Amino acid sequence: RRPRARTGQQCNYGDGRRQSLVVANGGLGNSVSREELSAALKEMGEMESLLMPPHKPYAFVTYRCEESALKAYTHLNGQKLQCGESSITLYLAYVNSVTHEEEASVPLPEGLVLLEDFVSPEEEALLLAAVDWSSTNDDVTAQKALKHRRVKHYGFEFRYDNNNVDKDKPLPAGIPAECLPVLERCLRNGHINVMPDQLTVNEYESGQGIPPHVDTHSPFEDTILSLSLGAKTVMEFRHPDGRVVAVVLPGRSLLVMKGESRYLWTHGITPRKFDMVPACEQQSPDHVTPEPGTRSNLTLSKRGTRTSFTFRKIRLEPCRCAFTSACDSQGASSTPSPSTPSPPALP
Ligand code: AKG
């Protein structure tokens, strides 16, 4: 009896005819992208579906007719597929049918808003050119974080040793003037109601990230803005109850973190060279990738250099938010610092 592949419950492709194959080694978890695999499989005939379960080293293909499946089996089994710089040997075998769960859509954390194309390509170039990497901040704590990414502070220095700022020690350089049109747009559109006075610029090379953290409540007001420039990345939000929401941040987008998403959920970027993102961006207008294990139309997106501008407003009174379990002003200890070393890079 041929095996029946199961990745979930609801959809059923194939009805016992010899149309479905498992493609061993041809999975996202094996650094094979949907585009690369799909191109090779399509040459054998018209496909009904291609399922690539997240993190798995295999995929499932169902063809519209048995002849195409046989052609794929005959021509691709044991053949090499060029994937980026590596060459991977595919092994194909028939399966009775392929079932998978319909995608569950995961809502964004409460208070989180993602605005695409918030800055133009011209503004992006101006902002990137405005960062003066030559003069580093005085405090050595900033330099310690540089092992993981390049960091530059304006207005006030964020201290990674105590997750706080010296409110009475402003830096000589305030927020660069090039940022003002963007911040004024944020004010006009109601994303913030007061002008930020602190900016942290993070530059991440491919493979770098930032550990999950909640920005300490006592130094900063509620709304935190993160402008993504350059390459897209995936930021993971984690709720203390275990929920995880992966949010794709395209270049030139603005992430607005308020309320629960700012005070309670941690945010972080796993250091890796590839992200799993929806294969077709239109299918996920809110840029959320469903919970691991529920989605099969993902592909790999190679990371490039991303620079983020995180704008914050220094808080002058203790925080009185409703999220007391995470509020250092109300007695909670702060979450790990964004400079704490992260788990090893994947894949
Ligand atoms: C931080 O600097 O604390 C961040 O969380 C940066 C976030 C980002 O890169 O968008």
Side-chain angles (χ1 to χ4, degrees):
R1 199 169 120 75
R2 279 177 287 127
R4 177 184 167 87
R6 289 187 75 84
T7 60
Q9 298 296 319
Q10 288 152 17
C11 289
N12 194 343
Y13 298 106
D15 51 8
R17 286 178 290 154
R18 292 168 65 84
Q19 290 168 257
S20 298
L21 298 153
V22 60
V23 187
N25 282 347
L28 296 171
N30 213 23
S31 300
V32 174
S33 78
R34 170 169 279 270
E35 291 74 14
E36 289 160 336
L37 182 62
S38 175
L41 294 171
K42 265 187 205 154
E43 282 186 28
M44 305 299 136
E46 203 180 335
M47 289 191 292
E48 170 107 16
S49 66
L50 173 59
L51 300 182
M52 300 187 76
H55 309 290
K56 301 292 183 205
Y58 51 79
F60 298 102
V61 59
T62 299
Y63 282 97
R64 286 217 184 273
C65 66
E66 294 188 5
E67 292 69 29
S68 304
L70 178 62
K71 195 170 167 195
Y73 178 76
T74 313
H75 288 88
L76 295 178
N77 187 29
Q79 293 304 306
K80 288 196 188 306
L81 180 71
Q82 195 60 37
C83 299
E85 280 145 35
S86 46
S87 161
I88 285 164
T89 306
L90 301 178
Y91 293 100
L92 280 74
Y94 279 99
V95 291
N96 265 356
S97 65
V98 179
T99 57
H100 85 110
E101 211 164 76
E102 284 299 315
E103 288 154 18
S105 112
V106 178
L108 283 178
E110 207 211 304
L112 193 72
V113 175
L114 178 67
L115 301 153
E116 263 195 77
D117 295 318
F118 195 76
V119 294
S120 66
E122 294 72 30
E123 282 176 313
E124 178 182 45
L126 267 177
L127 289 165
L128 288 172
V131 186
D132 176 10
W133 292 110
S134 64
S135 70
T136 50
N137 302 121
D138 286 346
D139 199 304
V140 287
T141 62
Q143 300 308 309
K144 285 189 191 155
L146 303 193
K147 270 192 286 171
H148 307 291
R149 58 192 191 278
R150 202 146 71 127
V151 179
K152 170 90 189 181
H153 301 288
Y154 291 94
F156 294 84
E157 171 155 26
F158 183 83
R159 292 189 45 178
Y160 295 102
D161 55 346
N162 61 5
N163 292 340
N164 219 310
V165 286
D166 287 329
K167 294 180 189 174
D168 48 4
K169 267 211 231 156
L171 293 169
I175 293 183
E178 289 83 346
C179 300
L180 294 186
V182 178
L183 293 175
E184 277 157 10
R185 200 176 311 144
C186 290
L187 275 172
R188 265 199 315 280
N189 297 352
H191 303 308
I192 45 175
N193 47 30
V194 54
M195 202 48 137
D197 50 11
Q198 195 274 337
L199 165 63
T200 299
V201 182
N202 284 289
E203 187 190 71
Y204 306 83
E205 300 292 345
S206 171
Q208 295 183 324
I210 185 166
H213 63 282
V214 175
D215 285 31
T216 317
H217 293 200
S218 62
F220 305 117
E221 288 289 347
D222 184 354
T223 306
I224 294 174
L225 303 173
S226 174
L227 186 66
S228 293
L229 305 176
K232 78 164 133 218
T233 198
V234 172
M235 183 175 273
E236 281 110 23
F237 283 81
R238 290 186 164 78
H239 190 277
D241 68 10
R243 272 176 289 157
V244 181
V245 180
V247 183
V248 181
L249 303 180
R252 299 191 289 106
S253 66
L254 179 74
L255 191 67
V256 184
M257 291 181 259
K258 278 190 211 236
E260 194 176 297
S261 67
R262 178 266 182 267
Y263 284 132
L264 192 58
W265 292 68
T266 63
H267 59 277
I269 299 171
T270 304
R272 58 183 164 217
K273 295 199 168 162
F274 290 88
D275 284 309
M276 265 175 239
V277 299
C280 174
E281 303 263 345
Q282 286 92 320
Q283 287 174 8
S284 182
D286 51 6
H287 295 274
V288 173
T289 58
E291 280 164 354
T294 63
R295 183 162 202 156
S296 302
N297 68 337
L298 298 171
T299 191
L300 294 177
S301 162
K302 197 172 190 327
R303 280 204 193 155
T305 302
R306 168 178 179 266
T307 305
S308 67
F309 282 47
T310 303
F311 298 100
R312 307 177 182 100
K313 172 78 184 124
I314 298 291
R315 183 191 287 281
L316 300 173
E317 300 289 329
C319 179
R320 294 196 183 86
C321 71
F323 306 96
T324 51
S325 61
C327 183
D328 63 312
S329 289
Q330 300 180 68
S333 56
S334 65
T335 60
S337 152
S339 68
T340 307
S342 298
L346 294 168

